[in-house]
Amino acid sequence: GDNSKPASTEKVSASAIAQKLGATSGPDLVKAAVACLAFSHKKDIVSRKEILKEMQTATHFYKKTYMKNLGGSLGSLVASKDS
């Protein structure tokens, strides 16, 4: 039989997700922030403002340049999904 546990209802931080992903770039942190918003905050649709705010909570990973490059980070993630 399958003894796997049901999905945890515990909230996971963007920082913990970034660490698990081995985040080293803005796009990596965007992925972690969106994952956190989707899984921990149960959001299906998120705004740029929400993504940025969640990215900033991951203080060990966040760099101020990520704010300026957020559009580019989002664009690269969308483009990589389409290819």
Side-chain angles (χ1 to χ4, degrees):
D2 182 21
N3 292 336
S4 63
K5 294 180 181 178
S8 174
T9 56
E10 178 181 321
K11 290 192 176 191
V12 179
S13 70
S15 186
I17 295 170
Q19 186 172 8
K20 196 80 162 166
L21 292 175
T24 58
S25 67
D28 290 344
L29 191 53
V30 169
K31 288 179 198 174
V34 171
C36 180
L37 289 164
F39 299 121
S40 292
H41 300 283
K42 308 292 186 219
K43 291 189 166 270
D44 292 331
I45 299 172
V46 296
S47 69
R48 292 169 74 109
K49 189 175 184 178
E50 289 172 312
I51 294 169
L52 182 60
K53 187 176 177 184
E54 201 60 44
M55 288 171 68
Q56 291 170 333
T57 68
T59 55
H60 291 327
F61 297 91
Y62 182 74
K63 296 177 184 168
K64 287 185 181 181
T65 55
Y66 292 169
M67 181 173 67
K68 294 176 187 164
N69 298 332
L70 183 57
S73 294
L74 290 170
S76 73
L77 291 170
V78 171
S80 67
K81 179 184 175 285
D82 291 341
S83 53

